[in-house]
Amino acid sequence: MKRFPNYWLIVLLIGFFAAGLSLLPNPLSVAYAHGWSPCCKTATPTSTPTATATATPTATPTRVLEACQVTAVSFDQDSYQPGETINVTVSVVDAANQPLGGANVSAAVTRPTQTELSGQATTSTDLIDRTGDYVAAYSNTDLSGQYTFDFTVTDPTGQRFLTCSASASVQVESEATPTPTETATPTVTVTPTVTVTPTVTVTPTPTPGAGVSPENYTTTLCSFLDTTSIDLAAIPDLVSVDLELSYDVRIIQVIDADQTKQGVQVRLGSPFSTADVVRNEVDTRAGRIYFKATRQAGPISIADSTSLIEIDWRPQRVGSSSLTLARLTLTDANNQTIAVQPQSGTFTVGFVPDCRVSGAVVLQGRTNAGGIAVANSAGMQTQTQASGSFEVDAENVISLKYPGYLSTAIDLRDELHILSADGKTVYLAEIELAAGDINGDDAINILDLAYIAAKFGTTDASADLNGDGQVNLLDLTMAAGNYGLEGPLKPWQ
């Protein structure tokens, strides 16, 4: 709801407060009544000061650093073929279980060598920071066998956290050699010769095809990474492509394929190389993917289904998004347009109750956000830590409540502001609770402001919204600023 200005209300309350002060007895009159006179002051004997011991200053305790934690290591495939790139993501959190950015994450990769007798070779690589998720692409996979990644997470400042580590392995499979099929020797039977008039069989020309693959993709809210592609088939003499694909940014968002370049890009399929690309751009606000490329090596004919581009997605909310090919233009060696009917698709994100939701809550006007009650719609309850962080099983609705503040409800089936995800947990953006609900009726109205005014100048804890130990103008102003709001509020609106 819209917050209305309530300056007249604040002025009225301050006026009542001032009127109350005027009814108090005059301090000078009280003093005269008790015999005090300004002209005559009784001399007080001077006492001899007693020596005071000097206090020894207390040493400031040294801050104790806690180690970080690697919560997940994810490969983009279960296994690989020789020559394929291994894409790996490492999720790191701090001691409060919050995504940890700004760390140095390196990987020592132990890979097979030509013969088992010669041992193993180790190479190193650094991972790119995505604010708690660190990613790397390892392409030195020419040999089959087990590749072991040993990750080390360090603090470049030396003052935030202690080092942590993790290890994970993945297999590069050897290319299987096809087993020859035994051929039986047929028994020849002599039959009379028959003259047959041959029938001419016309081989149909394959129809060029292009579209989203898979056409209808389904995933879950807690999924870390999902991939669709734009595939081509039966395309003769392809030289150039120009396409535009639209999607719903509220449902899904593109994961950048190349962190070393500015902006967000998609991955290339085999028909085009990086040298051919004229435009590879994702508008993450409007939900548009633009791709344009021209083959420098000359035309290529595509027979079977082949990926033109591949798009890595991260779910943002429960719902369905159209993947619409708004434009797809293919040209051949003669600069003629290749006739093709683009096939669009859909991307559906479903809700999963067995994943976890992690977030942080801020109490308006306070620095300590501990003790906020957090509950899901299945009845599971927990409380926030002093930092405001919490984690709870994902159910349809997550509710938050604290005395003196309006309640807030988060419907996980509606739009989410996801900071990151690791395949098991969805991390929400920061949530703020609005102050001023003194009587707990989930509404901020004249009853709440009247109570604060009545306790003005006292230490009444229920009226002390900001927790500074006294009820003053700060508490009254904060409640007046939220006047008219009713809970449960929806965050981020």
Side-chain angles (χ1 to χ4, degrees):
M1 296 181 65
K2 184 178 179 182
R3 303 185 182 186
F4 297 97
N6 296 281
Y7 304 111
W8 60 269
L9 187 57
I10 296 176
V11 172
L12 182 60
L13 291 173
I14 293 175
F16 286 151
F17 179 71
L21 291 177
S22 66
L23 297 177
L24 294 176
N26 189 323
L28 292 178
S29 301
V30 174
Y32 281 121
H34 286 78
W36 180 84
S37 173
C39 64
C40 302
K41 183 177 180 181
T42 306
T44 303
T46 303
S47 59
T48 303
T50 304
T52 304
T54 302
T56 302
T58 303
T60 302
T62 303
R63 179 187 176 190
V64 178
L65 299 181
E66 297 184 70
C68 58
Q69 295 182 16
V70 177
T71 57
V73 177
S74 305
F75 297 99
D76 64 335
Q77 296 179 195
D78 294 332
S79 62
Y80 300 84
Q81 293 296 319
E84 289 186 328
T85 298
I86 299 175
N87 294 298
V88 61
T89 300
V90 180
S91 299
V92 185
V93 300
D94 58 20
N97 203 32
Q98 295 300 300
L100 180 62
N104 286 339
V105 182
S106 61
V109 185
T110 304
R111 61 185 296 272
T113 54
Q114 291 289 351
T115 63
E116 293 182 357
L117 295 178
S118 64
Q120 294 181 320
T122 302
T123 58
S124 297
T125 184
D126 292 329
L127 279 72
I128 300 172
D129 184 5
R130 290 186 180 175
T131 314
D133 290 336
Y134 296 80
V135 298
Y138 184 79
S139 58
N140 193 13
T141 60
D142 54 318
L143 300 176
S144 61
Q146 180 172 280
Y147 286 68
T148 300
F149 291 72
D150 294 307
F151 303 99
T152 303
V153 183
T154 59
D155 181 3
T157 67
Q159 300 181 12
R160 297 172 57 206
F161 59 89
L162 299 178
T163 299
C164 59
S165 60
S167 180
S169 300
V170 70
Q171 191 75 15
V172 174
E173 307 289 353
S174 58
E175 297 181 344
T177 303
T179 303
T181 304
E182 183 178 350
T183 304
T185 303
T187 302
V188 179
T189 303
V190 178
T191 57
T193 303
V194 179
T195 302
V196 179
T197 303
T199 302
V200 178
T201 302
V202 179
T203 303
T205 303
T207 303
V212 176
S213 178
E215 183 178 347
N216 297 300
Y217 189 89
T218 302
T219 187
T220 60
L221 178 63
C222 284
S223 176
F224 173 68
L225 180 148
D226 299 276
T227 302
T228 62
S229 60
I230 305 300
D231 289 358
L232 303 178
I235 305 296
D237 298 332
L238 176 65
V239 171
S240 68
V241 61
D242 184 8
L243 71 81
E244 177 183 348
L245 178 74
S246 65
Y247 64 93
D248 190 339
V249 297
R250 299 171 301 169
I251 307 296
I252 48 178
Q253 194 52 268
V254 177
I255 300 175
D256 189 8
D258 191 348
Q259 290 283 320
T260 62
K261 295 182 180 178
Q262 185 177 3
V264 179
Q265 298 87 32
V266 298
R267 290 188 287 127
L268 304 183
S270 58
F272 295 93
S273 68
T274 55
D276 301 328
V277 176
V278 178
R279 186 182 187 186
N280 184 355
E281 177 186 348
V282 180
D283 186 338
T284 57
R285 292 186 177 181
R288 293 289 188 276
I289 298 174
Y290 303 97
F291 183 78
K292 186 176 183 180
T294 301
R295 281 182 55 84
Q296 303 298 316
I300 181 175
S301 293
I302 299 173
D304 299 327
S305 181
T306 302
S307 294
L308 174 63
I309 59 173
E310 296 178 346
I311 311 161
D312 295 327
W313 304 97
R314 177 166 295 165
Q316 299 294 294
R317 60 167 287 187
V318 173
S320 183
S321 169
S322 296
L323 302 179
T324 304
L325 273 168
R327 182 180 72 256
L328 178 60
T329 304
L330 308 176
T331 58
D332 60 17
N334 297 318
N335 201 29
Q336 298 297 311
T337 300
I338 301 173
V340 63
Q341 181 64 41
Q343 178 63 53
S344 299
T346 59
F347 193 109
T348 302
V349 180
F351 177 72
V352 227
D354 58 350
C355 68
R356 301 278 286 175
V357 171
S358 179
V361 190
V362 173
L363 292 174
Q364 182 186 9
R366 293 189 177 222
T367 57
N368 188 322
I372 301 171
V374 182
N376 64 21
S377 51
M380 177 179 287
Q381 297 184 359
T382 186
Q383 288 190 343
T384 58
Q385 301 179 16
S387 62
S389 62
F390 71 89
E391 186 171 310
V392 68
D393 285 350
E395 289 293 341
N396 290 345
V397 178
I398 306 297
S399 301
L400 303 102
K401 181 64 178 174
Y402 190 80
Y405 289 74
L406 290 179
S407 67
T408 291
I410 306 166
D411 193 330
L412 298 180
R413 297 162 297 183
D414 291 341
E415 182 175 352
L416 295 176
H417 288 207
I418 297 178
L419 296 179
S420 61
D422 58 15
K424 296 180 181 179
T425 304
V426 171
Y427 299 95
L428 303 180
E430 188 176 76
I431 306 158
E432 183 180 48
L433 301 190
D437 180 21
I438 305 299
N439 59 5
D441 62 357
D442 231 3
I444 301 175
N445 49 36
I446 190 62
L447 299 177
D448 303 299
L449 270 64
Y451 186 89
I452 297 174
K455 300 298 181 179
F456 202 92
T458 70
T459 59
D460 186 278
S462 58
D464 179 18
L465 295 178
N466 61 2
D468 62 357
Q470 56 183 345
V471 182
N472 52 31
L473 193 58
L474 297 177
D475 305 299
L476 186 61
T477 303
M478 193 157 45
N482 295 327
Y483 189 86
L485 292 181
E486 295 182 1
L489 294 178
K490 289 185 177 181
W492 314 305
Q493 293 183 350

